[in-house]
């Protein structure tokens, strides 16, 4: 694969906590413009991989290139939606203010959001169906609404690459569908979207690219080629049953 076509290139990446490897010798190439799921069991290193690419966690070894250069040259082109459980939802701020925070990266911290930024924030809230909640405290929202606020914040960043860590966790089916529609729209605009995902039933419906991870990369590529019963057994072990996949993905 040509380097010019890569959104992310990871080579020989190892991450350890207290000398125990969480990610081991990761090699990964993610093309531009894919909607990709990172799939694997609990403790596989899925969130750690995202946070290492995002320079939140320092690796023990290895290199990461984003659009052919390092994170610091690309951080304005990156948006991140963290796990909802990692956010302090009691922080006293409104929905609109949270979304406006997404404009700070391009404005710089010394400039205040102006009319253009506020218009973009309102448009993002409309896209996620939360315009009527703009002045409500984020602590007063449901879990699904909170998740959509962070998605709106990511949308106003006008990024090239979007990282989402378990965006469907704890949301209802309607919210999940509205989120995946937005993610597919981003992909259609040529954006790269990378999602830590846990529901195997929806992988082939939602994504066109998948990375199977369990400390090591088991396989990565188009869903039609990689998301097979054999690869899932290698990823999760034989204790799981993947009979429902046989016939459609083998």
């Amino acid at each position: 694969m040509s380097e010019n076509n890569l959104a992310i290139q990871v080579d020989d990446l190892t991450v350890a906590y207290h000398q125990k490897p969480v990610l081991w010798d990761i090699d990964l190439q993610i093309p531009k413009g894919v909607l990709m799921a990172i799939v694997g069991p609990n403790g596989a290193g899925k969130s750690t991989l995202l946070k290492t690419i995002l320079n939140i966690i320092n690796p023990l070894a290895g290199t990461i290139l984003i659009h052919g250069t390092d994170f610091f040259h690309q951080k304005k082109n990156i948006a991140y939606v963290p796990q909802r459980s990692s956010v302090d939802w009691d922080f006293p701020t409104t929905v609109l203010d949270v979304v406006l925070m997404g404009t700070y990266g391009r404005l710089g911290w010394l400039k205040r959001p102006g009319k253009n930024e506020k218009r973009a924030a309102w448009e993002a809230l409309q896209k996620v169906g939360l315009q009527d909640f703009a002045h409500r405290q984020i602590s007063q929202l449901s879990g699904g609404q909170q998740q959509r606020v962070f998605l709106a914040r990511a949308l106003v960043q006008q990024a090239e690459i979007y990282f989402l860590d378990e965006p469907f966790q704890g949301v209802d089916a309607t919210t999940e569908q509205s989120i995946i529609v937005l993610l597919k729209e981003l992909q259609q605009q040529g954006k790269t979207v990378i999602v830590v995902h846990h529901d195997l039933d929806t992988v082939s419906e939602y994504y066109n690219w998948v990375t199977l991870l369990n400390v090591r990369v088991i396989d990565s590529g188009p869903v039609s080629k990689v998301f097979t019963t054999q690869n899932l057994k290698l990823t999760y072990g034989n204790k799981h049953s993947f009979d429902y996949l046989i016939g459609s993905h083998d």
Side-chain angles (χ1 to χ4, degrees):
M1 192 180 301
S2 168
E3 290 187 5
N4 292 333
N5 294 327
L6 291 179
I8 309 288
Q9 180 167 344
V10 179
D11 293 309
D12 303 323
L13 182 72
T14 295
V15 178
Y17 295 148
H18 308 295
Q19 299 183 327
K20 179 185 178 183
V22 181
L23 295 171
W24 182 257
D25 199 22
I26 300 291
D27 292 319
L28 184 62
Q29 293 184 332
I30 304 173
K32 294 177 181 176
V34 297
L35 176 51
M36 187 185 93
I38 301 175
V39 173
N42 291 336
K46 302 183 296 295
S47 296
T48 299
L49 178 59
L50 244 62
K51 290 177 181 177
T52 308
I53 293 172
L54 292 165
N55 204 53
I56 297 170
I57 293 173
N58 292 323
L60 201 61
T63 59
I64 299 169
L65 295 178
I66 303 171
H67 286 176
T69 185
D70 62 30
F71 170 82
F72 294 102
H73 286 90
Q74 291 294 329
K75 61 182 180 179
K76 288 184 179 179
N77 295 320
I78 294 169
Y80 172 46
V81 178
Q83 285 189 23
R84 195 171 62 83
S85 60
S86 68
V87 176
D88 178 9
W89 295 106
D90 292 325
F91 189 78
T93 189
T94 66
V95 167
L96 182 61
D97 285 339
V98 171
V99 178
L100 280 171
M101 289 176 191
T103 67
Y104 292 171
R106 294 185 181 276
L107 276 177
W109 287 99
L110 297 179
K111 292 183 180 179
R112 294 178 62 84
K115 288 183 179 178
N116 290 338
E117 288 75 29
K118 290 178 181 177
R119 186 185 306 115
W122 276 104
E123 288 174 355
L125 283 172
Q126 287 175 338
K127 281 186 177 181
V128 301
L130 289 177
Q131 64 272 27
D132 293 339
F133 296 80
H135 300 295
R136 190 169 295 189
Q137 294 285 314
I138 55 169
S139 60
Q140 298 173 347
L141 302 184
S142 69
Q145 289 168 338
Q146 290 171 341
Q147 194 69 283
R148 282 187 280 158
V149 170
F150 265 62
L151 181 56
R153 187 186 72 166
L155 292 175
V156 300
Q157 290 181 246
Q158 300 177 350
E160 293 299 319
I161 306 177
Y162 291 80
F163 293 90
L164 299 94
D165 195 350
E166 298 271 16
F168 305 121
Q169 192 173 42
V171 304
D172 59 33
T174 302
T175 298
E176 180 163 329
Q177 286 303 312
S178 66
I179 291 174
I180 197 62
V181 166
L182 283 171
L183 299 187
K184 288 185 175 183
E185 286 179 3
L186 288 172
Q187 185 201 10
Q188 289 165 3
Q189 295 165 17
K191 312 296 187 181
T192 306
V193 185
I194 300 166
V195 183
V196 172
H197 191 76
H198 68 277
D199 182 7
L200 298 178
D201 287 326
T202 53
V203 169
S204 54
E205 177 188 352
Y206 289 177
Y207 304 96
N208 71 328
W209 204 267
V210 63
T211 293
L212 299 174
L213 183 71
N214 192 347
V215 183
R216 296 174 179 267
V217 171
I218 307 303
D219 204 352
S220 182
V223 169
S224 58
K225 294 182 178 179
V226 169
F227 196 62
T228 65
T229 302
Q230 181 60 33
N231 275 342
L232 287 169
K233 286 180 178 177
L234 290 171
T235 305
Y236 288 87
N238 290 323
K239 59 186 176 182
H240 291 263
S241 174
F242 301 106
D243 292 343
Y244 71 92
L245 289 167
I246 294 174
S248 58
H249 297 292
D250 269 354

